[in-house]
Amino acid sequence: MCILVWFRLDLRLRDNPALAAAFRASKAASSTVIPIFCWSPDEEVPWSPGAASRWWFHYSLEGLSQSLSQKGSRLIIRQGKTLSVLQALIRETKATGVYWNRRYEPVVIKRDKHIKEVLRKEGIDVQSFNSHLLFEPWMIQTQAKKPFQVFTPFWKTCLSSQEPESPLSAPSTFPPVSSTIASQSIDSLHLLPTIPWDTQLKEMWAPGEVGALKQADLFLEEALEPYATDRDFPSVKGTSRLSPHLHFGEISPRFLWETLQKLLATRSRKRSIQGVERYLTELGWREFAYHLLYHFPHTTEEPLRPHFKQFPWVQNKKQLKAWQKGLTGYPLVDAGMRELWAVGWMHNRVRMITASFLVKDLLISWQEGAKWFWDTLVDADLASNTLGWQWVSGCGADAAPYFRIFNPSLQAERFDANANYSRCWIPELSTPAYPSPIVNHGEVRIRALTALQTISKKGDIQ
Ligand SMILES: Cc1cc2nc3c(=O)[nH]c(=O)nc-3n(C[C@H](O)[C@H](O)[C@H](O)COP(=O)(O)OP(=O)(O)OC[C@H]3O[C@@H](n4cnc5c(N)ncnc54)[C@H](O)[C@@H]3O)c2cc1C
C-alpha cells in the first residue's frame, strides 16, 4: 500500500503540502510514499515548456532526485500520457492515493480535473493542495463577488484576508522505494539542447531547491534593503532573481512571505522597511497574474480588453528577427534581448522596454513577443508572461495605457545612464559594427498612436 506524490511545478521538499499530507496519511495507514514525476509536454500545448524551461527542468529534476536519494527515497520518472502513467504506477505499486499540488494553467486544470474524476471513480484517494500561491485565486473577490481587474484593490484585499499558512518543514527521512519499480533516467527525457547554447545559463543559474535557498539568502542579505530603489537599474544586481525558482516551485511563496513578515516586525530603518514592502508588492503582482489567469483563461491568446482584437498589428518578419536577435540599433532594447538569449532571463524594466518596442515601435503583436519570451525565458510562466505582455500592450488588466509609449533612448538615459548594462551585452556598441536604428522612434510613435485611434473610437480606450 502506498501514496503516490506527483511532483509538477513544486520541485521541492520543504513546504510541499502534497508531500506533507501524503506523509500524514501514510503514517496513519502504515503505508509508504513514492515520489513520481511524469514528463508529458504534449498535454500542455500550445504552452508546453520552451527550450529554456526544459533546460531548467533537467537540472531541477536532478536536484530533486538527489535530495530524495539523500533522504533514502527515489524519484520515479516516467514519460507518456499522464493518466495512463498514473494508472500503471497505481497497479504496479498498489497505491491507494495520488496527491499533488495544484497548477492554474487552463489546459492543465482541464487535464487534472479529468484525471481526478477518473481515478476517484476507480476508488483512488485523490487530493490536491496549494503550494504555489499565497492566496488561491477564488478566495479573493471584489465586494460584488467578482474577480479583480485592478491590482491595488486586489492586493489590499489579499493583505486584509486570512494570513497564508506557515511553511511546512521537509520530511527528515523517506521510506525506501522498492527497486522493482522502474524509473526512466532524466537524460532519457532529452531536455537539454543538442547544440550547446547553454554555457552562460550554467554559469548564472543553480536550478533546484538548494540553489533557490542560496539565492534567497544572498538576496535577503545583500539586495533587499535597497531593493525599492535599486530594482529599476539593470546594471545593478538589485532584484532577487528568484523568478525561475518560484516558477518551478523550488522555493515557496509562503516561505518568502513569512521571512519578510518577520523582517518587517523587527526592522525599524525606513529604507529597510521600504525594501521589504516593495518586495511583498512584487510577490503580489505574481498573485495577481495567477488571479487573472484563473478567472480569464482566454487571455493567454486574446486581449482581456476585447477591442484590442481589432488592433492593426503588422507582420514584419525582418523586424521581428532584428528584435529577437538584439539588432534594432536601440542599445537598451538590444542589450535586453541579448541578455535574454544568453542567460534566459531579463531585468524587469528591460522586459517592459523591449516589449514596448515590439508592440509600439514595430507594431508587432504582443502574442509574437509572448511566444518568444516563452521559449527563451528560464522563468517563462504563463500567468506572469501573459500579464506582462498585456500590461505593456495596454490591452490587459490595470495595464499601462497604449498611448504611453516608452522612448527607448530616454529610458536608457534614465536607467542605464553610463551604459554599463548596454556595454555588457553589446561588445560592439560605439563601433561601426553596431547597427543603426531600424526605425525612427519619433515617426513610429505617431504611427502607433494613429493605429490606436482606429480602435479607440469603438469606445474601450480613453
Ligand atoms: C513583458 C513581460 C513578460 C514577463 N514574463 C514573465 C514570466 O514569464 N515569468 C515571470 O516570472 N515574470 C515575468 N515578468 C515579470 C517580471 O519581469 C519578472 O518576474 C522579474 O523580472 C523576475 O526577476 P526577479 O525574480 O529578480 O524579480 P524581483 O524584482 O526580485 O521580484 C520578486 C518576484 O516577484 C514576482 N514578480 C516581480 N514582478 C512581477 C510582475 N511584473 N509580474 C508578475 N510577477 C512579478 C516574480 O515572481 C519575482 O521573482 C514579465 C514582465 C514583463 C514586462
Short mmCIF file of all heavy atoms in Angstrom, two decimals, residues 381-416:
data_model
loop_
_atom_site.label_atom_id
_atom_site.label_comp_id
_atom_site.label_asym_id
_atom_site.label_seq_id
_atom_site.Cartn_x
_atom_site.Cartn_y
_atom_site.Cartn_z
N ASP A 381 6.48 31.83 -17.50
CA ASP A 381 5.38 31.47 -16.61
C ASP A 381 4.11 32.01 -17.28
O ASP A 381 4.04 33.21 -17.58
CB ASP A 381 5.63 32.17 -15.27
CG ASP A 381 4.56 31.89 -14.24
OD1 ASP A 381 3.50 32.54 -14.30
OD2 ASP A 381 4.79 31.03 -13.38
N LEU A 382 3.16 31.13 -17.52
CA LEU A 382 2.01 31.53 -18.33
C LEU A 382 1.25 32.70 -17.71
O LEU A 382 0.79 33.60 -18.40
CB LEU A 382 1.07 30.33 -18.55
CG LEU A 382 0.10 30.47 -19.71
CD1 LEU A 382 0.81 30.81 -21.02
CD2 LEU A 382 -0.72 29.21 -19.88
N ALA A 383 1.14 32.70 -16.39
CA ALA A 383 0.40 33.79 -15.72
C ALA A 383 1.17 35.11 -15.83
O ALA A 383 0.63 36.11 -16.32
CB ALA A 383 0.19 33.42 -14.25
N SER A 384 2.43 35.12 -15.44
CA SER A 384 3.19 36.37 -15.40
C SER A 384 3.54 36.87 -16.80
O SER A 384 3.59 38.08 -17.03
CB SER A 384 4.47 36.20 -14.59
OG SER A 384 4.15 35.83 -13.28
N ASN A 385 3.79 35.95 -17.71
CA ASN A 385 4.13 36.37 -19.07
C ASN A 385 2.92 37.01 -19.75
O ASN A 385 3.02 38.06 -20.37
CB ASN A 385 4.63 35.16 -19.87
CG ASN A 385 5.47 35.56 -21.08
OD1 ASN A 385 6.24 36.53 -21.02
ND2 ASN A 385 5.30 34.85 -22.17
N THR A 386 1.76 36.40 -19.56
CA THR A 386 0.54 36.95 -20.17
C THR A 386 0.24 38.32 -19.57
O THR A 386 -0.02 39.29 -20.29
CB THR A 386 -0.65 35.99 -19.92
OG1 THR A 386 -0.29 34.70 -20.39
CG2 THR A 386 -1.90 36.46 -20.62
N LEU A 387 0.32 38.40 -18.26
CA LEU A 387 0.07 39.70 -17.61
C LEU A 387 1.07 40.75 -18.10
O LEU A 387 0.69 41.86 -18.45
CB LEU A 387 0.18 39.56 -16.08
CG LEU A 387 0.19 40.89 -15.29
CD1 LEU A 387 -1.17 41.56 -15.36
CD2 LEU A 387 0.59 40.69 -13.85
N GLY A 388 2.36 40.38 -18.14
CA GLY A 388 3.40 41.33 -18.53
C GLY A 388 3.17 41.87 -19.93
O GLY A 388 3.20 43.08 -20.17
N TRP A 389 2.87 40.98 -20.87
CA TRP A 389 2.68 41.41 -22.26
C TRP A 389 1.41 42.22 -22.43
O TRP A 389 1.38 43.21 -23.15
CB TRP A 389 2.72 40.20 -23.21
CG TRP A 389 4.13 39.84 -23.52
CD1 TRP A 389 4.88 38.87 -22.91
CD2 TRP A 389 5.01 40.50 -24.45
NE1 TRP A 389 6.16 38.88 -23.42
CE2 TRP A 389 6.27 39.86 -24.36
CE3 TRP A 389 4.86 41.56 -25.33
CZ2 TRP A 389 7.36 40.25 -25.14
CZ3 TRP A 389 5.94 41.95 -26.11
CH2 TRP A 389 7.17 41.30 -26.00
N GLN A 390 0.34 41.81 -21.75
CA GLN A 390 -0.91 42.58 -21.90
C GLN A 390 -0.79 43.92 -21.18
O GLN A 390 -1.39 44.90 -21.59
CB GLN A 390 -2.09 41.76 -21.38
CG GLN A 390 -2.37 40.55 -22.26
CD GLN A 390 -3.84 40.18 -22.33
OE1 GLN A 390 -4.70 40.86 -21.80
NE2 GLN A 390 -4.14 39.08 -23.00
N TRP A 391 -0.01 43.95 -20.12
CA TRP A 391 0.19 45.21 -19.38
C TRP A 391 0.89 46.21 -20.29
O TRP A 391 0.45 47.34 -20.46
CB TRP A 391 1.01 44.94 -18.12
CG TRP A 391 1.13 46.16 -17.25
CD1 TRP A 391 0.28 46.53 -16.25
CD2 TRP A 391 2.16 47.16 -17.30
NE1 TRP A 391 0.69 47.72 -15.68
CE2 TRP A 391 1.85 48.12 -16.31
CE3 TRP A 391 3.29 47.35 -18.08
CZ2 TRP A 391 2.63 49.25 -16.08
CZ3 TRP A 391 4.09 48.47 -17.87
CH2 TRP A 391 3.75 49.41 -16.87
N VAL A 392 1.99 45.76 -20.91
CA VAL A 392 2.76 46.66 -21.78
C VAL A 392 1.92 47.09 -22.98
O VAL A 392 1.96 48.25 -23.40
CB VAL A 392 4.06 45.96 -22.26
CG1 VAL A 392 4.76 46.80 -23.31
CG2 VAL A 392 5.00 45.72 -21.09
N SER A 393 1.13 46.18 -23.53
CA SER A 393 0.35 46.48 -24.73
C SER A 393 -0.87 47.32 -24.44
O SER A 393 -1.53 47.77 -25.38
CB SER A 393 -0.13 45.19 -25.39
OG SER A 393 0.94 44.33 -25.53
N GLY A 394 -1.20 47.49 -23.19
CA GLY A 394 -2.38 48.29 -22.85
C GLY A 394 -3.69 47.55 -23.05
O GLY A 394 -4.76 48.14 -23.02
N CYS A 395 -3.61 46.22 -23.26
CA CYS A 395 -4.85 45.51 -23.56
C CYS A 395 -5.28 44.58 -22.43
O CYS A 395 -6.19 43.77 -22.59
CB CYS A 395 -4.70 44.72 -24.86
SG CYS A 395 -3.51 43.39 -24.74
N GLY A 396 -4.60 44.69 -21.27
CA GLY A 396 -4.92 43.77 -20.18
C GLY A 396 -5.49 44.46 -18.97
O GLY A 396 -5.93 45.62 -19.04
N ALA A 397 -5.43 43.76 -17.83
CA ALA A 397 -5.97 44.32 -16.59
C ALA A 397 -4.99 45.35 -16.03
O ALA A 397 -3.79 45.09 -16.01
CB ALA A 397 -6.17 43.19 -15.59
N ASP A 398 -5.52 46.47 -15.59
CA ASP A 398 -4.70 47.51 -14.93
C ASP A 398 -3.46 47.84 -15.75
O ASP A 398 -2.38 48.08 -15.21
CB ASP A 398 -4.25 46.99 -13.54
CG ASP A 398 -4.01 48.15 -12.58
OD1 ASP A 398 -4.18 49.32 -13.00
OD2 ASP A 398 -3.65 47.90 -11.42
N ALA A 399 -3.63 47.86 -17.08
CA ALA A 399 -2.46 47.97 -17.95
C ALA A 399 -2.00 49.41 -18.13
O ALA A 399 -2.77 50.35 -17.94
CB ALA A 399 -2.80 47.36 -19.31
N ALA A 400 -0.74 49.55 -18.54
CA ALA A 400 -0.23 50.87 -18.92
C ALA A 400 -0.99 51.26 -20.20
O ALA A 400 -1.07 50.45 -21.11
CB ALA A 400 1.25 50.76 -19.24
N PRO A 401 -1.55 52.47 -20.27
CA PRO A 401 -2.32 52.81 -21.48
C PRO A 401 -1.44 52.73 -22.73
O PRO A 401 -0.26 53.07 -22.67
CB PRO A 401 -2.78 54.25 -21.23
CG PRO A 401 -2.29 54.65 -19.89
CD PRO A 401 -1.46 53.56 -19.31
N TYR A 402 -2.02 52.25 -23.83
CA TYR A 402 -1.22 52.06 -25.05
C TYR A 402 -0.56 53.37 -25.48
O TYR A 402 0.55 53.39 -25.96
CB TYR A 402 -2.11 51.52 -26.19
CG TYR A 402 -1.32 51.18 -27.43
CD1 TYR A 402 -0.77 49.91 -27.59
CD2 TYR A 402 -1.06 52.14 -28.41
CE1 TYR A 402 -0.01 49.60 -28.71
CE2 TYR A 402 -0.30 51.84 -29.53
CZ TYR A 402 0.22 50.57 -29.67
OH TYR A 402 0.99 50.27 -30.78
N PHE A 403 -1.27 54.52 -25.25
CA PHE A 403 -0.71 55.78 -25.73
C PHE A 403 0.53 56.24 -24.95
O PHE A 403 1.23 57.14 -25.36
CB PHE A 403 -1.77 56.89 -25.74
CG PHE A 403 -2.35 57.22 -24.39
CD1 PHE A 403 -1.63 57.98 -23.47
CD2 PHE A 403 -3.61 56.77 -24.03
CE1 PHE A 403 -2.16 58.27 -22.22
CE2 PHE A 403 -4.14 57.06 -22.78
CZ PHE A 403 -3.42 57.82 -21.87
N ARG A 404 0.79 55.60 -23.80
CA ARG A 404 2.03 55.94 -23.08
C ARG A 404 3.17 55.09 -23.67
O ARG A 404 3.27 53.89 -23.37
CB ARG A 404 1.84 55.67 -21.58
CG ARG A 404 2.62 56.68 -20.75
CD ARG A 404 2.20 56.66 -19.31
NE ARG A 404 1.01 57.45 -19.03
CZ ARG A 404 0.22 57.25 -17.99
NH1 ARG A 404 0.47 56.29 -17.14
NH2 ARG A 404 -0.83 58.02 -17.79
N ILE A 405 3.95 55.70 -24.52
CA ILE A 405 4.93 54.92 -25.29
C ILE A 405 6.33 55.20 -24.77
O ILE A 405 6.79 56.33 -24.77
CB ILE A 405 4.81 55.28 -26.79
CG1 ILE A 405 3.40 54.89 -27.27
CG2 ILE A 405 5.89 54.58 -27.61
CD1 ILE A 405 3.11 55.22 -28.71
N PHE A 406 7.00 54.13 -24.32
CA PHE A 406 8.37 54.30 -23.84
C PHE A 406 9.27 54.81 -24.95
O PHE A 406 9.25 54.25 -26.05
CB PHE A 406 8.95 52.94 -23.43
CG PHE A 406 8.59 52.49 -22.05
CD1 PHE A 406 8.09 51.21 -21.84
CD2 PHE A 406 8.79 53.30 -20.94
CE1 PHE A 406 7.77 50.76 -20.56
CE2 PHE A 406 8.48 52.86 -19.67
CZ PHE A 406 7.96 51.60 -19.48
N ASN A 407 10.08 55.82 -24.65
CA ASN A 407 11.11 56.23 -25.59
C ASN A 407 12.39 55.47 -25.19
O ASN A 407 12.95 55.72 -24.12
CB ASN A 407 11.31 57.74 -25.48
CG ASN A 407 12.42 58.22 -26.40
OD1 ASN A 407 13.39 57.52 -26.63
ND2 ASN A 407 12.27 59.44 -26.90
N PRO A 408 12.84 54.51 -26.03
CA PRO A 408 13.95 53.65 -25.58
C PRO A 408 15.23 54.43 -25.28
O PRO A 408 16.02 54.03 -24.42
CB PRO A 408 14.15 52.67 -26.73
CG PRO A 408 13.38 53.20 -27.88
CD PRO A 408 12.36 54.17 -27.37
N SER A 409 15.43 55.56 -25.97
CA SER A 409 16.66 56.33 -25.72
C SER A 409 16.54 57.07 -24.38
O SER A 409 17.50 57.08 -23.59
CB SER A 409 16.91 57.32 -26.84
OG SER A 409 16.82 56.66 -28.07
N LEU A 410 15.37 57.64 -24.09
CA LEU A 410 15.21 58.33 -22.81
C LEU A 410 15.25 57.34 -21.64
O LEU A 410 15.80 57.63 -20.57
CB LEU A 410 13.87 59.09 -22.76
CG LEU A 410 13.77 60.33 -23.67
CD1 LEU A 410 12.43 61.01 -23.48
CD2 LEU A 410 14.90 61.31 -23.35
N GLN A 411 14.68 56.17 -21.87
CA GLN A 411 14.73 55.13 -20.83
C GLN A 411 16.18 54.75 -20.53
O GLN A 411 16.57 54.56 -19.39
CB GLN A 411 13.97 53.88 -21.28
CG GLN A 411 12.45 54.05 -21.30
CD GLN A 411 11.85 54.08 -19.89
OE1 GLN A 411 12.16 53.25 -19.05
NE2 GLN A 411 11.01 55.07 -19.62
N ALA A 412 16.99 54.69 -21.60
CA ALA A 412 18.41 54.36 -21.42
C ALA A 412 19.10 55.46 -20.62
O ALA A 412 19.88 55.18 -19.71
CB ALA A 412 19.07 54.16 -22.78
N GLU A 413 18.79 56.72 -20.95
CA GLU A 413 19.42 57.83 -20.20
C GLU A 413 19.05 57.75 -18.73
O GLU A 413 19.85 58.05 -17.85
CB GLU A 413 18.91 59.17 -20.74
CG GLU A 413 19.67 59.66 -21.94
CD GLU A 413 19.02 60.90 -22.54
OE1 GLU A 413 18.42 61.72 -21.81
OE2 GLU A 413 19.10 61.03 -23.78
N ARG A 414 17.82 57.36 -18.45
CA ARG A 414 17.35 57.34 -17.07
C ARG A 414 17.84 56.11 -16.28
O ARG A 414 18.25 56.24 -15.14
CB ARG A 414 15.82 57.34 -17.11
CG ARG A 414 15.24 58.00 -15.92
CD ARG A 414 13.79 58.32 -16.10
NE ARG A 414 13.18 58.13 -14.79
CZ ARG A 414 11.93 57.87 -14.59
NH1 ARG A 414 11.10 57.76 -15.60
NH2 ARG A 414 11.48 57.72 -13.37
N PHE A 415 17.79 54.96 -16.92
CA PHE A 415 18.03 53.74 -16.15
C PHE A 415 19.37 53.05 -16.47
O PHE A 415 19.74 52.09 -15.81
CB PHE A 415 16.88 52.75 -16.35
CG PHE A 415 15.58 53.28 -15.81
CD1 PHE A 415 14.58 53.73 -16.66
CD2 PHE A 415 15.38 53.38 -14.44
CE1 PHE A 415 13.39 54.25 -16.16
CE2 PHE A 415 14.20 53.90 -13.92
CZ PHE A 415 13.20 54.35 -14.78
N ASP A 416 20.06 53.57 -17.49
CA ASP A 416 21.38 52.99 -17.80
C ASP A 416 22.29 54.14 -18.25
O ASP A 416 22.90 54.10 -19.32
CB ASP A 416 21.21 51.94 -18.92
CG ASP A 416 22.47 51.09 -19.12
OD1 ASP A 416 23.21 50.89 -18.12
OD2 ASP A 416 22.71 50.64 -20.25
#
